Amino acid sequence: MTEDSFPPFTGLRVLDLATLFAGPIAATMLGDFGAEVIKIEHPRKPDPSRGHGPSKDGIGLWWKVLGRNKRTLTLDLSKPGGRATLLRLAATADVIIENFRPGTLEKWDLGWPELSAANPRLVLARVTGFGQFGPSAHRPGFGTLAEAMSGFAAITGEPDAPPTLPPFGLADSIAGLATAYAVLTALAARDRTGEGQVVDMAIIEPILAVLGPQPTWYDQLGYVQERTGNRSANNAPRNTYRTADGTWVAVSTSAQSIAERVMRLVGRPDVIDEPWFATGAGRAAHAEILDKAVGAWIAERTRTEVLAAFEKAEAAVAPIQDVRDVLTDPQYQALGTVTTVDDPELGPLRMQNVLFRLSATPGGIRWAGRPHGADSQEVLTELGLTPADVAALREEGAV
């Protein structure tokens, strides 16, 4: 392997002080492409993600994914020894990612003035529910609140049913990806100026950014998007449909040509000549007619038959898959979307692979999430601490 083929973030050191989930996701994204990530957890209060969701033999499986490619170190930052050690680490790092409530690092004398004094080139990413200032800044914030506040829940669900929250960390995941992007943006600026800076990431903002032009629609037209279930206000047919063998498929017709192919396929070419069929909005206004035709045709055929017919017609369709289907899906298999990692605690385990493929400098998963504090001794020794120094930190309860 030549030097140029190393993962692109090789040599970048990231300190992950964050928990649940946006900040750690950002650190994982960087670690997947070569960054050295040191996960710093409280000695007596491990990252809560270690206990989230199902576990095997007492080992949290979510942590195995979220903690991959991270070395683990324990530090109590409220202790003098913990504070001093973090400042020593900060002097060697490129990035710190944290998600304490605003003012917490400052309470420990570890705010931006102290961290940037230790390392003027440092990038400090601060990930909170509501940002570092404003009337809600000091409130506890989680992704669920962002999904509610942003307008996502208001447009999700059936028209006559309550607003719907996602059954997973959607806002946190979007914010994690946005934080990784923000960190790289700050590092690019550092390459020009030689100086680091603070990233202020509010979880309520990235999810609003991906919801589309809702503020612009309202500003210019007074238009407020409503819940439409699986239908779209912009095109039709667009829905989920039950097949003859009791499975489900999703159909999308964002392009006019695709809509025409679908209606020819299901035996209703006559609607193509209707004036309203010529636009997505016109089709959406007549979704009942189109859904009835598509749904009836699909209901008479098995999923295999439906998928084959749509593929032959070059129309857009996909099966509604659960995780069992995903793991056997030939397209995901071809892409290597799910990979197997050898783990010392659990043996071979499957998880999502790195987010994208690079042809020359690919990322990879070097190891799954490691035990709490597994690398403390090694990291502190590399930092120049003697066995006596480490023993003193343990005696203080700082490690």
Side-chain angles (χ1 to χ4, degrees):
M1 178 181 289
T2 66
E3 184 175 351
D4 289 343
S5 66
F6 288 166
F9 302 144
T10 299
L12 191 75
R13 173 172 271 198
V14 178
L15 307 182
D16 176 8
L17 277 62
T19 59
L20 295 179
F21 282 99
I25 288 173
T28 301
M29 298 297 103
L30 299 174
D32 282 352
F33 284 89
E36 178 199 4
V37 180
I38 300 175
K39 174 69 177 182
I40 298 177
E41 300 172 81
H42 193 283
R44 293 162 294 281
K45 302 173 186 175
D47 188 317
S49 67
R50 291 182 180 272
H52 260 58
S55 63
K56 181 181 179 181
D57 300 332
I59 300 169
L61 299 179
W62 202 331
W63 166 252
K64 287 296 178 182
V65 179
L66 191 64
R68 71 191 193 189
N69 293 333
K70 300 179 184 181
R71 302 164 78 193
T72 59
L73 165 69
T74 61
L75 281 181
D76 184 344
L77 303 182
S78 68
K79 304 283 188 181
R83 174 185 181 276
T85 303
L86 182 70
L87 289 174
R88 290 184 65 165
L89 280 167
T92 72
D94 298 282
V95 179
I96 292 179
I97 301 175
E98 63 95 2
N99 71 338
F100 299 107
R101 286 199 211 182
T104 301
L105 283 182
E106 286 76 8
K107 179 180 66 176
W108 297 329
D109 292 326
L110 287 171
W112 179 238
E114 291 81 10
L115 292 172
S116 61
N119 182 356
R121 291 175 55 82
L122 185 69
V123 170
L124 173 63
R126 316 195 74 168
V127 186
T128 57
F130 305 103
Q132 295 295 311
F133 57 90
S136 297
H138 287 82
R139 291 172 52 200
F142 297 99
T144 297
L145 307 189
E147 289 145 10
M149 288 181 61
S150 63
F152 171 84
I155 64 170
T156 305
E158 295 297 328
D160 56 351
T164 300
L165 296 167
F168 66 102
L170 176 64
D172 275 306
S173 299
I174 296 171
L177 295 172
T179 300
Y181 168 56
V183 165
L184 297 180
T185 303
L187 289 172
R190 187 186 72 175
D191 289 344
R192 294 196 307 272
T193 67
E195 296 182 354
Q197 60 182 298
V198 177
V199 171
D200 179 5
M201 178 63 66
I203 296 173
I204 61 173
E205 292 184 302
I207 188 171
L208 177 59
V210 303
L211 283 176
Q214 291 191 29
T216 306
W217 284 339
Y218 181 75
D219 174 67
Q220 295 296 304
L221 301 172
Y223 172 72
V224 178
Q225 186 174 349
E226 299 178 349
R227 291 191 293 285
T228 56
N230 290 324
R231 287 178 174 172
S232 168
N234 303 311
N235 64 79
R238 191 264 197 182
N239 213 323
T240 59
Y241 306 92
R242 190 178 180 93
T243 65
D245 52 351
T247 61
W248 293 81
V249 297
V251 172
S252 176
T253 58
S254 296
Q256 180 71 22
S257 59
I258 299 295
E260 293 175 5
R261 291 172 193 167
V262 169
M263 299 318 297
R264 290 192 185 100
L265 174 64
V266 302
R268 288 297 307 274
D270 56 295
V271 299
I272 297 174
D273 296 326
E274 295 287 349
W276 51 261
F277 196 87
T279 67
R283 299 197 308 274
H286 294 78
E288 289 289 348
I289 296 172
L290 301 178
D291 269 347
K292 183 177 179 180
V294 174
W297 185 90
I298 289 176
E300 295 175 350
R301 292 160 175 83
T302 67
R303 184 170 77 171
T304 299
E305 293 170 337
V306 170
L307 296 178
F310 267 73
E311 182 174 357
K312 184 177 180 180
E314 297 185 355
V317 69
I320 303 294
Q321 300 190 148
D322 64 20
V323 67
R324 294 166 295 187
D325 303 312
V326 168
L327 292 176
T328 59
D329 182 278
Q331 182 60 31
Y332 279 130
Q333 290 180 337
L335 294 173
T337 307
V338 176
T339 190
T340 299
V341 180
D342 288 325
D343 181 68
E345 294 183 289
L346 296 176
L349 66 144
R350 287 184 288 183
M351 65 177 65
Q352 299 95 323
N353 209 336
V354 299
L355 193 59
F356 48 86
R357 289 162 294 282
L358 296 180
S359 62
T361 56
I365 302 172
R366 302 181 294 283
W367 60 81
R370 290 174 52 72
H372 181 232
D375 303 291
S376 293
Q377 187 73 36
E378 182 180 52
V379 171
L380 295 174
T381 299
E382 292 172 357
L383 196 58
L385 274 67
T386 67
D389 294 331
V390 176
L393 290 172
R394 294 191 187 280
E395 179 67 23
E396 183 190 12
V399 173

